[in-house]
């Protein structure tokens, strides 16, 4: 049996997934936990501004759009930067 | 001054970003923290199998590919499932 360390996930964390769409402004963080020996499901856990944690469905299109939005939002705001600002 | 709660980010967490590519197998989690009043940068923090946390550059293409891979990996394995298994 491998030693149980703080970070070694031993089981799935999400019992159910949130179906309501979460507005990006309510979002503090999104954590992706790839499926693995500990859990056969990829899990997506959102941390809300309220401090609440909710599980999202990795297969639903709005979750992917939300993740894409978070990553791309950064770039759009700095569109005006000179190109060499890689 | 807003109350400092455990979850309320008050500053950027990443001082520098990892440039080396992290193999998906070493990955335990990926945390996205959207930019906001606390930090003008979107931050991507990977939790490794070793327990280490490393900051990744949200603008680099391999980070986006890694996130995309984690999300899509789930679907590819269940391609054989009947369509109504939405």
């Amino acid at each position: 049996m491998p030693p149980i360390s703080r970070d070694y996930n031993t089981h799935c964390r999400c019992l159910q997934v949130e179906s309501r769409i979460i507005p990006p402004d309510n979002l503090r963080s999104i954590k992706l936990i790839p499926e693995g020996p500990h859990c056969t499901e990829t899990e997506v856990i959102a941390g809300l501004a309220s401090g609440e944690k909710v599980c999202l469905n990795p297969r639903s299109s709005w979750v992917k759009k939300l993740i894409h939005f978070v990553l791309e939002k950064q770039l759009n705001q700095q569109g005006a930067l000179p190109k060499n600002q890689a």
Side-chain angles (χ1 to χ4, degrees), chain A:
Chain A
M1 262 285 285
I4 303 291
S5 78
R6 197 180 60 81
D7 273 321
Y8 183 79
N9 302 333
T10 52
H11 50 275
C12 297
R13 299 188 190 202
C14 295
L15 298 181
Q16 60 194 33
V17 291
E18 178 64 54
S19 50
R20 286 167 304 168
I21 291 187
I22 294 172
D25 295 346
N26 282 13
L27 203 62
R28 271 284 179 285
S29 66
I30 305 178
K31 191 168 195 176
L32 306 179
I33 302 174
E35 39 112 70
H38 66 291
C39 177
T40 55
E41 298 277 333
T42 293
E43 296 181 299
V44 179
I45 302 173
L48 304 186
S50 62
E52 206 190 335
K53 301 272 186 208
V54 289
C55 289
L56 307 180
N57 181 354
R59 288 187 208 94
S60 58
S61 57
W62 74 268
V63 171
K64 287 179 199 161
K65 281 186 191 130
L66 184 64
I67 291 170
H68 189 76
F69 172 79
V70 167
L71 279 174
E72 296 309 324
K73 189 177 161 194
Q74 175 81 61
L75 300 181
N76 300 346
Q77 273 174 346
Q78 296 176 349
L81 281 177
K83 267 286 156 274
N84 56 22
Q85 196 85 30

